Amino acid sequence: MAESGNQFAGCIGLVNDDEKTGQLRWFLVDPSFQRKGVGSRLIKALVQYCKENGYERIFLWTVRDMSTARPLYKKNGFEITEIHEEKRLWGSNLIEERWDLEL
């Protein structure tokens, strides 16, 4: 979790997919802290944690419309490995993407 002056700035979460694979499960940055490096620091902390704890890979699922987060994933070495055809999710037509990072 990231805070600034006791105010929530963002958070990132990891769950185990298996012994050596982590799934980035949620990644949120408060809009008032976007474009201030909070997201980059959260992702870097997650990757560092995974390296220190013996993970071999991290993956995440997102949707193509997440235009703010996608460049952060790419900048930190994640690559798109799977794309699902557009389908109705959460009341919108969305394209799901899986991004993977080999550590």
Side-chain angles (χ1 to χ4, degrees):
M1 180 165 347
E3 295 180 335
S4 178
N6 292 326
Q7 183 180 358
F8 173 83
C11 64
I12 196 164
L14 178 77
V15 296
N16 289 335
D17 185 62
D18 64 37
E19 254 180 46
K20 300 289 182 183
T21 306
Q23 180 180 3
L24 192 164
R25 195 69 180 108
W26 60 89
F27 175 42
L28 305 165
V29 175
D30 184 276
S32 63
F33 289 96
Q34 289 179 353
R35 307 223 183 272
K36 295 182 180 177
V38 173
S40 289
R41 287 192 298 274
L42 285 168
I43 289 178
K44 285 179 183 174
L46 178 93
V47 170
Q48 186 62 35
Y49 172 86
C50 289
K51 287 178 178 178
E52 290 172 359
N53 287 280
Y55 288 83
E56 294 176 357
R57 75 196 56 76
I58 308 167
F59 75 93
L60 64 97
W61 283 98
T62 190
V63 294
R64 187 164 287 169
D65 290 358
M66 293 296 210
S67 58
T68 305
R70 292 172 86 244
L72 288 175
Y73 301 141
K74 185 172 185 160
K75 176 179 152 186
N76 285 279
F78 286 84
E79 296 179 352
I80 297 173
T81 57
E82 192 174 334
I83 298 173
H84 288 183
E85 289 186 30
E86 184 175 77
K87 63 182 171 185
R88 194 98 175 134
L89 293 168
W90 308 297
S92 298
N93 291 332
L94 300 171
I95 298 171
E96 286 183 297
E97 299 173 338
R98 177 179 164 139
W99 292 64
D100 284 80
L101 172 64
E102 296 295 324
L103 300 175

